[in-house]
Amino acid sequence: TASAALGDDCYYDASVCDKDGLKCATWTDSQYGEMASCEDCSNGNQVITDSYGDPVTYKCPPKPN
């Protein structure tokens, strides 16, 4: 399987993030709408920059029980 990098798209396959310890986080881009990308969820919710340069908070997937 291919290795995903921080910020790589995971909208259709969340498992691409697993190999590098990243999580498939969801967020809303002000231009494109719903997005999902591999992000570092070790510090809780984080902020990234969307396609317009606006800060958006991404939501990490819930931890498995």
Side-chain angles (χ1 to χ4, degrees), residues 1 5 8 11 15 18 21-22 24-26 29-31 33-34 37-38 45 50 53 56-57 59 62-63:
T1 57
D8 280 2
Y11 193 85
S15 69
D18 295 345
L22 301 172
C24 187
T26 56
D29 186 282
S30 54
Q31 181 177 9
E34 290 300 311
S37 57
C38 298
N45 285 350
D50 73 5
V56 291
T57 302
K59 294 185 178 78
K63 290 186 169 82

Side-chain angles (χ1 to χ4, degrees), residues 9-38:
D9 179 64
C10 60
Y11 193 85
Y12 295 106
D13 183 7
S15 69
V16 299
C17 305
D18 295 345
K19 187 174 179 187
D20 294 310
L22 301 172
K23 301 294 180 198
C24 187
T26 56
W27 49 282
T28 303
D29 186 282
S30 54
Q31 181 177 9
Y32 299 109
E34 290 300 311
M35 305 289 280
S37 57
C38 298

